Amino acid sequence: MAPSVLVDQAETCQVVPTKASDRTPLKVSHPNPSLQITADHKLKSANAPVYSPRAGEALVHIKATGICGSDLHFWKTGRIGSLVFEGDCIIGHEASGIVLQCGEGVTHLKPGDRVAVEPGVPCEHCFLCDDGRYNLCEDVQFSGVYPYEGTMQRYKNHPAKWLHKLPDNVSFAEGALLEPLSVVMHGVNLSGLSLGRGAVVCGAGPIGLIALAAARASGAHPIVITDLEPARLAFAKEFVPSCITYQVDCTKDAEGNAAAIRALFGSGEYVAPETVLECTGVESSVCTAAYTARRGGTVMVIGVGKAIMNNLPFMHISLAEIDLRFINRYRDTWPRAIACLSGGILDLQKLVSHVFPLEKAEDALHLCADTRNGSIKVLVVDEEEASL
């Protein structure tokens, strides 16, 4: 359905501006509430300005945004590795919405189209972009990472090339889940997960649970998922009934927990898990993963961890020829991820445990930050009819 709300330009945009202050403002019939993280690690709710889309952009009414662990990390610490919040910035990068207006030159989208937002916009000129590995572009403009505004707002301009149409049978909530699904798909694609071979998923958070579902859909068997929290393991068992759960024993070291996990696969090196998808980024879990994988196996670290890890079992990894691999976000995953949800290969809707209106986005982050609340995936949605 085409938008019914009138969006009036304050003036005609004739040139492509070079900075936000030069952009053409829009008068809209609804305010633009947003959630921002400040340079001193505080949350701030504020109405953000709305601008006309530049050439090649589309103005999107964001309908759903998922909260990611990286949002919490930026809030609490102000940085992830070399990514530092040096000023106020709207957060959010797992999103879907409705196109309101298209800038000059946009031909594959029109107002009213339902879209998912691929948040990373590469430079498209460096050798990595030329090689098709645009997820490694050092000049990527990533939504919700300072200074690039994120999706936790009602209206957002985004390059139309990185907006993907959603089929009618994929909801806005599912559209927001395409981003974490893309993270998992990139990791699974590089891990060499094998049909009929054992696998382990470390961590039963949102990424781990999606990895569990993806591993099951890929034909890996048997699959063990680990976590510290019994409640999360119980949810994992309900989510993928065929999985085997293992509660990490804090009285054991990495080798001890690895031995217990491997025992779930039976005796002998051949039946030991060939692939471990490490979805926590916690150093002790990465070490456990290294001892868990069979000789010649693969440990794919999908989780985001601390900048330096000092205790990785180097010689074990070396002597066993464990392929220790890492990913940085994703590339070329959105069409395939949409096909997975549209075609019923994966059903991720059960992961949504809490839903908050946009005006209460700050409450949503506070809920996520307290593990006692038992959240899985928290969505911030906008039910306003501003774009319908």
Side-chain angles (χ1 to χ4, degrees):
M1 182 182 297
S4 59
V5 166
L6 295 178
V7 183
D8 299 321
Q9 288 195 357
E11 56 182 285
T12 302
C13 180
Q14 298 179 344
V15 298
V16 177
T18 57
K19 52 186 178 180
S21 59
D22 293 334
R23 302 195 69 152
T24 305
L26 290 176
K27 292 180 181 179
V28 293
S29 59
H30 291 73
N32 187 28
S34 71
L35 182 63
Q36 305 174 19
I37 291 177
T38 66
D40 56 351
H41 309 170
K42 291 184 174 63
L43 296 176
K44 180 176 77 174
S45 297
N47 281 325
V50 184
Y51 299 105
S52 171
R54 296 170 174 167
E57 291 183 338
L59 178 65
V60 179
H61 175 197
I62 302 296
K63 297 295 288 182
T65 293
I67 296 177
C68 175
S70 64
D71 298 320
L72 301 177
H73 205 75
F74 280 130
W75 168 28
K76 297 296 185 179
T77 69
R79 68 184 305 153
I80 296 176
S82 61
L83 305 176
V84 182
F85 266 61
E86 298 177 354
D88 297 357
C89 184
I90 299 172
I91 61 170
H93 58 274
E94 305 176 0
S96 63
I98 301 174
V99 173
L100 272 175
Q101 191 178 92
C102 294
E104 181 183 354
V106 176
T107 58
H108 72 287
L109 296 175
K110 65 183 185 302
D113 282 345
R114 302 167 66 254
V115 293
V117 179
E118 183 170 353
V121 180
C123 76
E124 301 189 70
H125 302 295
C126 68
F127 78 96
L128 289 163
C129 287
D130 288 343
D131 196 36
R133 304 176 72 188
Y134 66 82
N135 60 309
L136 301 181
C137 174
E138 292 189 274
D139 293 324
V140 65
Q141 299 181 13
F142 198 86
S143 298
V145 177
Y146 179 87
Y148 307 108
E149 65 177 26
T151 59
M152 202 74 76
Q153 56 180 324
R154 177 164 291 142
Y155 303 107
K156 176 179 170 28
N157 283 300
H158 198 74
K161 178 178 179 178
W162 305 101
L163 295 172
H164 303 273
K165 286 185 182 180
L166 292 175
D168 291 340
N169 67 339
V170 175
S171 67
F172 288 121
E174 291 174 298
L177 289 169
L178 289 169
E179 199 277 345
L181 174 56
S182 286
V183 172
V184 170
M185 289 182 72
H186 187 47
V188 167
N189 184 53
L190 296 179
S191 71
L193 206 65
S194 298
L195 183 72
R197 290 295 298 147
V200 174
V201 176
C202 298
I207 293 294
L209 290 166
I210 295 174
L212 174 66
R216 176 71 280 172
S218 75
H221 183 80
I223 306 172
V224 172
I225 185 167
T226 74
D227 203 278
L228 286 166
E229 295 293 330
R232 287 204 162 186
L233 292 174
F235 181 89
K237 187 67 175 176
E238 178 183 342
F239 187 52
V240 178
S242 62
C243 76
I244 303 167
T245 61
Y246 175 79
Q247 184 176 353
V248 176
D249 187 344
C250 293
T251 67
K252 295 180 178 178
D253 61 9
E255 289 184 84
N257 275 299
I261 295 167
R262 287 172 65 120
L264 298 173
F265 290 84
S267 61
E269 183 68 31
Y270 178 77
V271 298
E274 185 175 52
T275 307
V276 181
L277 303 176
E278 206 299 307
C279 299
T280 73
V282 175
E283 183 173 339
S284 59
S285 183
V286 176
C287 293
T288 299
Y291 286 117
T292 300
R294 62 180 285 187
R295 294 173 71 84
T298 299
V299 173
M300 173 56 68
V301 181
I302 298 174
V304 176
K306 61 184 182 180
I308 302 294
M309 293 187 183
N310 297 310
N311 299 306
L312 292 181
F314 173 79
M315 283 310 302
H316 170 78
I317 294 171
S318 175
L319 292 173
E321 288 194 1
I322 301 297
D323 190 2
L324 181 60
R325 308 199 67 182
F326 306 86
I327 62 165
N328 180 33
R329 297 173 180 149
Y330 31 71
R331 62 176 182 267
D332 302 320
T333 54
W334 250 259
R336 289 187 294 124
I338 291 170
C340 282
L341 299 188
S342 177
I345 297 171
L346 294 173
D347 182 359
L348 305 181
Q349 296 185 80
K350 289 182 179 179
L351 297 180
V352 179
S353 59
H354 298 79
V355 177
F356 285 78
L358 177 59
E359 290 78 7
K360 294 189 176 181
E362 191 169 340
D363 293 341
L365 256 76
H366 281 286
L367 180 136
C368 283
D370 189 342
T371 57
R372 294 173 297 181
N373 291 321
S375 64
I376 302 295
K377 176 55 68 175
V378 178
L379 294 186
V380 173
V381 303
D382 188 22
E383 298 293 350
E384 288 285 347
E385 299 297 320
S387 62
L388 298 176

